[in-house]
Amino acid sequence: MTNHDEDEPQGGLDVQLAAELVAKAKAEGVSLVGPDGLLAGITKTVLQAALEAEMTEHLGYERGEHPAAPTGNHRNGSSAKTVSTEVGPVQIQ
């Protein structure tokens, strides 16, 4: 059996990262849940990154770059959207 410090996060990098985020939110007075909470913020960040990656994959070029050949399909801006999630509504760009 291994002796672990009770304050030290257990598990891999993902568990350690989550523990650091929770500790930082707690120190800054950010709630874990709610519209301005940590879970909503993480959900927003992950959704926006996933949608950006999906557009890059679909179009074949990164944001700010120009396509190698005209395809008629291009990035033409964005607008705010609200996504219903298990942690509540999350507004994304």
Side-chain angles (χ1 to χ4, degrees):
M1 195 170 228
T2 311
N3 185 11
H4 292 287
D5 184 10
E6 288 184 21
D7 294 331
E8 187 176 309
Q10 304 299 310
L13 181 60
D14 55 339
V15 174
Q16 292 174 9
L17 180 58
E20 289 174 19
L21 287 171
V22 170
K24 183 176 180 185
K26 189 175 182 180
E28 293 177 5
V30 175
S31 173
L32 182 61
V33 294
D36 295 324
L38 176 64
L39 291 176
I42 291 170
T43 301
K44 176 181 178 171
T45 301
V46 170
L47 283 173
Q48 287 189 175
L51 290 171
E52 184 66 30
E54 184 178 10
M55 281 299 291
T56 297
E57 178 70 24
H58 175 71
L59 295 174
Y61 63 96
E62 296 286 336
R63 177 179 290 281
E65 294 179 354
H66 295 285
T71 63
N73 220 0
H74 60 279
R75 297 172 192 262
N76 59 355
S78 63
S79 60
K81 310 273 189 296
T82 301
V83 178
S84 295
T85 71
E86 290 184 14
V87 297
V90 174
Q91 188 169 21
I92 59 173
Q93 295 297 323

